[in-house]
Amino acid sequence: MTKLWIFAAAALAATTALTATAQEHEFRVSMPGNVESIAYKSVERFDEVLSEMTDGAIKLHLFANSALGDQESSLEAMQTGFLDMATIETPITSVVPELGATALPYIFSGRDHVAAALDGEAGKKIEAMLVAKGLRPVAFLEGGFRQITNNVRPIHTPEDLDGVKMRTPGSNLRIKIFNHYGANASPLPFAELYSALQTGVFDGQENPVIWAKSQKFYEVQDYLSLTNHLYTVTYLLISEDDWQALTPEQQDAMLKAGDAAEEYSVELGTK
């Protein structure tokens, strides 16, 4: 009887150990900007809060400067199980084209309008569309209101874009918008943008000021025009397979950490 009790206790201890191990996770997170970018700093805050809430059971490894691939390849890698997490902006339309509507010119009047949409019914619909594609949003981070930098002239009206070689993200809609304004727009991966501006492959680009600052575009651009022409959401995504591997408590911790990261991203974006 004593031997049986000892065996049962040992089996229970082994099972408990296995369960504890199964609840520990290490995730790689890919981001396009450098360590000073709003996305990277926001995910750092996400990591801090998540680690505290899970007692370190979920460990994140952050990779800046598209070290694990550009945003398009990160989306595919998450869907196929080769990447755990990533921050994605405009290229999100390659998996859910309808999300291009969130980046139409002047569709948002301000950050309060953005928050009302993403925290409400629109946010729920966006989540459902992404989950259907194997991608779970854990935070809608501030991408920011976008501004134009270039080496040709200040941009006061759409006509001022005439003939300007503009780099855009990989969005057919964004390209059409700028070409409609008279620019010569085409896409380029974000990691290659500084060099393209420096060598004159492009005259200009459009990104929030904090991105232009963190990437030091001011070193290779003469003019900054505060156009606020559109707002972009930065989606912090996790592979749905990884999400389902979490316990309900860990999922809840992720969402709460996401809330903290969202708040911090807005704080960074409004400095």
Side-chain angles (χ1 to χ4, degrees):
M1 184 69 174
T2 301
K3 291 182 179 179
L4 181 61
W5 183 88
I6 293 173
F7 177 80
L12 178 61
T15 301
T16 302
L18 286 173
T19 301
T21 301
Q23 293 178 348
E24 295 180 356
H25 304 273
E26 292 192 29
F27 295 142
R28 296 177 302 154
V29 189
S30 178
M31 287 159 283
N34 62 25
V35 296
E36 296 300 319
S37 69
I38 186 171
Y40 191 95
K41 287 181 173 294
S42 299
V43 175
E44 278 188 321
R45 177 61 59 87
F46 176 83
D47 185 23
E48 292 169 4
V49 175
L50 184 62
S51 179
E52 182 178 347
M53 293 189 68
T54 63
D55 293 325
I58 300 178
K59 297 179 177 62
L60 301 186
H61 302 283
L62 311 188
F63 294 85
N65 295 313
S66 301
L68 300 181
D70 60 24
Q71 294 180 73
E72 288 84 353
S73 60
S74 292
L75 283 166
E76 182 178 352
M78 282 188 288
Q79 290 178 302
T80 54
F82 290 101
L83 179 65
D84 305 301
M85 301 182 69
T87 61
I88 307 292
E89 290 193 3
T90 303
I92 198 71
T93 57
S94 65
V95 291
V96 183
E98 294 89 340
L99 294 187
T102 65
L104 289 171
Y106 302 104
I107 194 169
F108 292 116
S109 60
R111 286 182 175 83
D112 288 344
H113 190 189
V114 173
L118 296 180
D119 293 341
E121 196 61 31
K124 293 177 183 177
K125 290 182 179 180
I126 290 171
E127 178 181 12
M129 288 189 287
L130 287 168
V131 169
K133 298 295 183 177
L135 304 165
R136 171 78 57 164
V138 295
F140 298 129
L141 303 175
E142 161 113 357
F145 284 95
R146 298 176 84 92
Q147 322 298 344
I148 296 173
T149 68
N150 81 101
N151 285 327
V152 179
R153 64 180 76 91
I155 307 301
H156 299 296
T157 68
E159 288 75 19
D160 292 327
L161 285 165
D162 187 48
V164 177
K165 294 181 292 183
M166 285 288 298
R167 177 269 178 187
T168 69
S171 163
N172 289 332
L173 176 61
R174 191 77 53 83
I175 294 168
K176 288 180 180 179
I177 288 170
F178 276 94
N179 285 344
H180 178 73
Y181 292 153
N184 180 11
S186 56
L188 184 77
F190 188 78
E192 302 172 28
L193 180 51
Y194 183 96
S195 177
L197 295 171
Q198 185 179 42
T199 57
V201 174
F202 287 97
D203 298 319
Q205 62 84 44
E206 45 96 41
N207 265 294
V209 169
I210 190 171
W211 284 92
K213 181 180 179 181
S214 66
Q215 301 301 130
K216 299 184 178 181
F217 292 153
Y218 54 82
E219 295 179 343
V220 292
Q221 297 275 265
D222 294 333
Y223 304 104
L224 166 64
S225 301
L226 301 179
T227 54
N228 283 326
H229 54 278
L230 56 84
Y231 180 91
T232 46
V233 180
T234 297
Y235 300 88
L236 176 56
L237 305 173
I238 182 171
S239 162
E240 182 65 11
D241 288 342
D242 285 324
W243 174 260
Q244 293 300 333
L246 299 173
T247 66
E249 294 76 16
Q250 289 172 334
Q251 291 176 350
D252 183 63
M254 272 225 167
L255 294 178
K256 288 178 178 175
D259 289 341
E262 286 179 17
E263 183 177 346
Y264 186 56
S265 72
V266 173
E267 179 183 328
L268 290 172
T270 53
K271 280 186 175 180

